[in-house]
Amino acid sequence: MSGLNAFQLLNGLTFAALLFIVASGFTLIFGLLRIVNLAHGALYLLGGYLGYAAASATGSFLVGVLAAMAGVAVCGLILDRGLLRFVRGYELRQVLLTLGVAFVLNDMTLVIFGGDTYTVPTPDFLKGAVRFWGLFYPKYRLFVLALGVVVFIALWVLLNKTRLGALIRAGVDDPEIIAAMGINIRKVFLLTFMLGAALAGLGGAVGGAFLTLYPSADSEILVFSLAVVIIGGRGSLVGAAVGALIVGMLNTIGQVMFPEFAYFVIFGPMAAILAFRPLGLFGKAA
Amino acid sequence: MLEVADLHSYYGDAHVLHGASLEVKTGEVVALLGRNGMGKTTLIRSIMGLTPPDVREGSVRWKGQELRGVPSHEIAKRGIAIVPQGRRLFPSLTVTEHLTVLKKASATHGWTVAKAFEFFPRLAERRNNRGNQLSGGERQMLAVARALMIDPELILMDEPSEGLAPVMVQHLEGIILQLKQAGLGILLVEQNLYSALAVADRAYILETGRVVHQALASDIAEDPSTLTKFLGVH
């Protein structure tokens, strides 16, 4: 058993940042819209492959990221308008439907990209390492950490300080009344769903550059996202951030100190938290 | 302006409205009276296009156009606002956000946030509070202010005096009369008969889903036999 060093702590933090990016999209869809979208992991992986393909073809990491976000947002549009609208309000049917979609998406990416492992190419200025506090640390991982913070701030401002954010909150509180006030709330919800999907795509493109992309990466990230949102409390942005930090750090601690129990180190505390706070740390009753 | 004719509404298999008809003319305050369970709220919801209930027969015409089958957000855009039973404010929104969510803070036409706060000074004092931190009277004012933000020509008010202290009920009557003077039509559902009759021009009495009586509000108020016969008031 070895102790933790600063390098590993930073790894935990950067993994937490990536988890937050993916889980914030999940909390928009699962927490606010109350849609149990088990295809969120598949959307992440799809974003990764799209990012890889676009970045490789154009040589631009930024184009890869934007293509992943746009492509997965369109996929979210089709998923919501084409399928989920028929099972609105039926959670079990949503679970089965989105699970089916996840299988279909995975098989499609397997057909197109095969079973090989891919890494999204990063731009030159993010290659290499920086030296601080006596350690070398990869620039790219620090970039992911910063991106997580930026996404948190942007989402917080969107939800709390803009009219669209107020519309989303009002729609979550009482969709019938906000509609009776002249708002086409279905459109607002669709936009929210697409934003949540785009965040999964962003996570896929960004994560695909340091976690690599392979056929079962989607279920791992889905399980982690579920843990983040359940620990943090569904629908809470701060909860998703705290949940991501907890899961990211526990994952690192588990892998370094108790490699045999790496999953238990995450899901053991999760079960304990749920026993005392069934709605998660920042969850509120609906 | 609003003509409801022979409306039949259902909750599942339960037949609630049995051919209800009424009319609200431009700038008129019309009271819709009746005991609990007679279909008043069902009628309001049917007009606003809210489901349930399911409207299976009859028509709701607004300025000559059929509203049946029109989604409620479109009905609101055509100028009908609702102050729903129980207020139904948004717990996650502040007082100001209840207004700006419906109309940009920078808007200058019709009802603006500034004008609403001028009309309801109590709300201006509480602008940063959330809906669930307000008193009953303040909540009702906010529900009315919210409805005004869509610049309606008709407001459907469902039991606005419910749960309010007598002094607040009087205040509410004053607000309704002020809105009438501003040219707004109001369809007022009330359990509080005397409050409704004090502000209404005309009144309809609804019993088991049908309009069984209609008269000038002043006539009903002066003829207690109507109240006894239809509403069980002694």
Side-chain angles (χ1 to χ4, degrees):
Chain A
M1 197 172 92
S2 63
L4 281 174
N5 59 36
F7 190 88
Q8 284 148 353
L9 281 175
L10 274 171
N11 276 352
L13 269 182
T14 51
F15 183 56
L18 176 71
L19 277 184
F20 172 75
I21 293 170
V22 180
S24 64
F26 193 59
T27 211
L28 286 179
I29 293 171
F30 172 57
L32 291 182
L33 304 185
R34 310 263 148 189
I35 298 171
V36 193
N37 180 22
L38 293 188
H40 200 69
L43 293 177
Y44 162 89
L45 189 57
L46 180 69
Y49 282 125
L50 284 174
Y52 165 78
S56 305
T58 62
S60 162
F61 179 68
L62 183 65
V63 170
V65 168
L66 294 179
M69 291 179 75
V72 176
V74 169
C75 193
L77 172 80
I78 296 167
L79 178 59
D80 190 63
R81 291 273 79 198
L83 294 171
L84 283 168
R85 61 186 296 193
F86 299 110
V87 294
R88 239 181 262 299
Y90 299 98
E91 291 209 340
L92 185 61
R93 293 181 199 180
Q94 289 171 353
V95 168
L96 293 172
L97 177 73
T98 54
L99 196 60
V101 169
F103 286 135
V104 171
L105 279 177
N106 280 354
D107 276 358
M108 277 166 57
T109 48
L110 192 62
V111 167
I112 297 168
F113 292 91
D116 294 338
T117 300
Y118 292 96
T119 305
V120 177
T122 53
D124 285 338
F125 73 96
L126 291 176
K127 289 197 172 98
V130 282
R131 180 174 202 160
F132 59 100
W133 301 337
L135 62 109
F136 275 109
Y137 199 75
K139 281 184 197 166
Y140 185 79
R141 278 185 163 260
L142 292 175
F143 158 75
V144 174
L145 185 57
L147 186 67
V149 174
V150 168
V151 168
F152 176 83
I153 293 171
L155 281 179
W156 191 88
V157 169
L158 171 76
L159 284 175
N160 293 295
K161 295 292 166 202
T162 69
R163 183 155 173 251
L164 177 62
L167 275 175
I168 294 171
R169 281 180 287 137
V172 169
D173 282 345
D174 197 331
E176 183 178 83
I177 291 302
I178 194 75
M181 299 292 153
I183 305 294
N184 187 349
I185 196 63
R186 282 276 140 240
K187 253 190 203 163
V188 176
F189 283 168
L190 176 62
L191 213 60
T192 312
F193 191 89
M194 289 173 69
L195 175 63
L199 285 165
L202 173 66
V206 170
F210 74 107
L211 295 179
T212 71
L213 302 162
Y214 49 93
S216 65
D218 67 307
S219 50
E220 283 173 32
I221 207 82
L222 176 69
V223 168
F224 279 125
S225 297
L226 265 172
V228 165
V229 172
I230 288 171
I231 289 175
R234 46 197 277 193
S236 164
L237 197 60
V238 176
V242 173
L245 274 176
I246 292 175
V247 173
M249 294 314 282
L250 286 177
N251 182 52
T252 302
I253 291 169
Q255 281 179 352
V256 173
M257 300 176 74
F258 317 98
E260 304 88 345
F261 306 113
Y263 272 113
F264 177 80
V265 171
I266 297 171
F267 294 101
M270 180 181 116
I273 287 174
L274 285 184
F276 294 101
R277 290 196 57 98
L279 296 171
L281 294 174
F282 294 85
K284 279 179 250 159
Chain B
M1 194 161 55
L2 177 77
E3 290 160 33
V4 177
D6 194 32
L7 212 59
H8 288 260
S9 292
Y10 292 74
Y11 279 90
D13 290 333
H15 192 170
V16 178
L17 291 184
H18 297 260
S21 303
L22 61 75
E23 186 187 2
V24 183
K25 299 192 189 93
T26 307
E28 196 182 28
V29 178
V30 172
L32 182 59
L33 309 174
R35 279 174 287 191
N36 262 332
M38 292 301 169
K40 303 188 298 294
T41 295
T42 305
L43 183 49
I44 294 284
R45 290 180 62 89
S46 301
I47 295 170
M48 201 68 221
L50 300 173
T51 51
D54 176 22
V55 181
R56 298 196 193 154
E57 272 179 67
S59 73
V60 179
R61 297 184 81 78
W62 170 246
K63 296 177 178 174
Q65 284 188 311
E66 181 61 53
L67 289 186
R68 259 187 75 189
V70 178
S72 60
H73 65 89
E74 279 295 329
I75 293 176
K77 279 187 190 148
R78 293 186 194 180
I80 304 180
I82 186 169
V83 176
Q85 188 175 26
R87 285 70 150 162
R88 290 178 65 178
L89 301 176
F90 305 117
S92 320
L93 268 55
T94 64
V95 168
T96 307
E97 280 176 333
H98 272 86
L99 309 178
T100 54
V101 78
L102 298 174
K103 193 190 261 186
K104 284 185 194 132
S106 56
T108 50
H109 67 94
W111 282 90
T112 58
V113 176
K115 199 175 162 193
F117 280 156
E118 203 179 302
F119 197 70
F120 298 105
R122 285 287 293 157
L123 292 182
E125 292 169 27
R126 308 285 243 128
R127 64 179 76 211
N128 292 321
N129 286 87
R130 291 187 190 271
N132 51 9
Q133 296 167 319
L134 304 179
S135 72
E138 288 163 348
R139 283 177 199 213
Q140 193 57 62
M141 285 181 212
L142 183 53
V144 175
R146 177 177 66 178
L148 289 171
M149 293 312 284
I150 72 165
D151 295 317
E153 293 170 64
L154 174 70
I155 304 187
L156 313 173
M157 289 195 187
D158 198 349
E159 306 230 4
S161 76
E162 190 182 27
L164 295 187
V167 59
M168 278 311 304
V169 175
Q170 274 183 7
H171 185 61
L172 185 71
E173 289 168 13
I175 287 167
I176 291 174
L177 289 174
Q178 270 177 285
L179 294 176
K180 175 185 155 69
Q181 272 171 12
L184 270 162
I186 295 171
L187 179 59
L188 179 66
V189 164
E190 267 298 354
Q191 295 268 354
N192 189 332
L193 301 175
Y194 297 102
S195 175
L197 293 174
V199 294
D201 300 309
R202 291 187 300 116
Y204 292 89
I205 296 178
L206 203 61
E207 199 169 85
T208 55
R210 287 183 194 83
V211 169
V212 291
H213 189 75
Q214 56 172 308
L216 291 175
S218 53
D219 289 349
I220 296 182
E222 283 162 18
D223 178 13
S225 68
T226 316
L227 296 177
T228 312
K229 184 176 168 200
F230 295 110
L231 303 170
V233 177
H234 298 284

